[in-house]
Structures are given as C-alpha cells and as structure tokens.
Amino acid sequence: MISPSLGRSWGSRLGIAVAVVALSLTGTGCSNTMDHQADTAATHEMAGPKGTVLDVDKAREKAKGVSSQIYDLINLPSAKVTEPGPSISTCEQDPEHLYQTVHPWSVYGVPEDELKAGFQRLRDGLPGKGWKIVRYGPNKSRNKTLELTADSKTEPFSVDAELWVSSPTAGREKEPKILINIVSGCWRAPKGTDLNTQY
C-alpha cells in the first residue's frame, strides 16, 4: 500500500513523472492523456507498438516484468516497496481501442545512503539491460530532485526514477525513497474489449 506519509505531494509529483516519461517516448505512436491527478494537461506523442493487439492483462504482466527488472537493478532487498500494480490509461488518439500501461511505485524504508547507492546501481545497470538513458540530473522542481529517464531499446517502455532524499534545497525528507514510474506506449485492445471497464 502507498504509505500515507510521502513527504512531497504524491499526486503532483506523479503527474510530473508521468509527463516526463511520456515526453521521452518519441516516435509515431499515439497521442495520449494520462489519467492521473494533477496531470490533465499532459498530452504527448507516445512511441509504442502501433497497431499491436495485446490483451490488457498481458500488458499489465509486461509492465510488471519491466518493474521487476528495475527493482532488481536497484537491489535493495531490505527496503519496502509500494504494492499497487500497473493500471491502464486510454490513448487520446483512439480511446475506445488504444491504451497504455502506467505503473508507479516506490522503494523506501532504508537509510538515505542505501537509497543513493541503489539509484546509482540503477543508473549504471540500465544500459547493460537494453535501456538508453535519455536524461539524468536534477529536475526543475524547487527541490532539484535527482531524476533519471530511460527508454527501453527492446520494448515500448520508458522509466522515470527520482531520488527523494534530504538536501540543502529540499530540506529534510520525511520519508526518503526512490520513486519509479513505468509507462508503455499505446497498445490496441483485442476486439470486444471495453476499456471503460478496465482500470
């Protein structure tokens, strides 16, 4: 379960993370609007398996697999992890038939030094696992949060990672964590699928 004490605003930070990841997915996929609080204006061109038909449950499994790979790279087995699984969001270009998976989660409950080391392992390990790092460094928020965005070279997924730790600009972080958001390109739902009944 998402911890009730996340320090910075979860809703607004998640919206920013989703928007950043969406921007990193370039190509000829579908235009997409994320279905999250504080992100109503995040409409971007998404790269994705244009026209690829995929069952919603299988798309969730793909997102879980990507999340597992990211978790393994961070390599903090003693840390706690938020539980909600991947959700889906319809793609604006064709909301009746096209959708994408979105999987936000975080790693927390360990000392800040361990989180910093885990974030560094993630950065160092991604290229060897078929990911291209497209952005790394402090973001433009008031807290100057260290952020990493990477695109998979083999699957239509991007990951955005943020390191929430104490700093001169952020002050003391009440609950240090690594925030992860996995976003896919747009999949086409099988014929007969009612995306309005999915979550």
Side-chain angles (χ1 to χ4, degrees):
M1 175 174 286
I2 294 177
S3 170
S5 175
L6 288 178
R8 304 166 206 174
S9 169
W10 170 264
S12 63
R13 298 298 299 147
L14 174 58
I16 292 169
V18 170
V20 168
V21 174
L23 279 170
S24 75
L25 287 165
T26 58
T28 59
C30 62
S31 179
N32 157 57
T33 301
M34 298 297 177
D35 186 22
H36 287 284
Q37 287 182 338
D39 198 43
T40 55
T43 302
H44 306 286
E45 287 300 311
M46 299 295 293
K50 192 174 183 181
T52 299
V53 177
L54 188 66
D55 180 79
V56 172
D57 288 337
K58 289 182 179 178
R60 287 197 188 99
E61 287 303 314
K62 278 182 171 287
K64 286 179 184 178
V66 172
S67 288
S68 293
Q69 183 185 62
I70 299 302
Y71 176 77
D72 289 345
L73 288 171
I74 293 171
N75 191 22
L76 288 173
S78 62
K80 298 177 182 178
V81 182
T82 52
E83 296 176 5
S87 62
I88 73 159
S89 176
T90 56
C91 297
E92 189 177 74
Q93 179 182 331
D94 186 355
E96 290 187 13
H97 304 104
L98 299 178
Y99 71 95
Q100 67 176 163
T101 48
V102 181
H103 192 195
W105 51 277
S106 61
V107 177
Y108 65 103
V110 295
E112 290 190 355
D113 285 347
E114 290 187 34
L115 290 172
K116 291 176 183 177
F119 198 84
Q120 185 63 45
R121 282 192 292 272
L122 178 62
R123 183 192 181 195
D124 293 344
L126 281 169
K129 295 293 184 179
W131 292 81
K132 178 183 179 181
I133 296 175
V134 295
R135 191 165 71 102
Y136 177 80
N139 65 19
K140 294 181 179 179
S141 71
R142 180 177 58 85
N143 296 316
K144 304 297 182 187
T145 304
L146 184 61
E147 188 171 55
L148 179 155
T149 302
D151 295 338
S152 173
K153 296 178 182 179
T154 58
E155 294 277 2
F157 283 95
S158 270
V159 58
D160 184 72
E162 295 184 9
L163 178 64
W164 288 13
V165 293
S166 302
S167 72
T169 52
R172 182 179 175 276
E173 181 60 53
K174 292 181 181 178
E175 189 170 355
K177 68 185 68 64
I178 297 173
L179 177 76
I180 301 292
N181 195 40
I182 307 293
V183 181
S184 78
C186 294
W187 308 100
R188 181 171 293 278
K191 187 175 181 180
T193 302
D194 183 358
L195 292 175
N196 292 319
T197 65
Q198 303 296 322
Y199 60 90

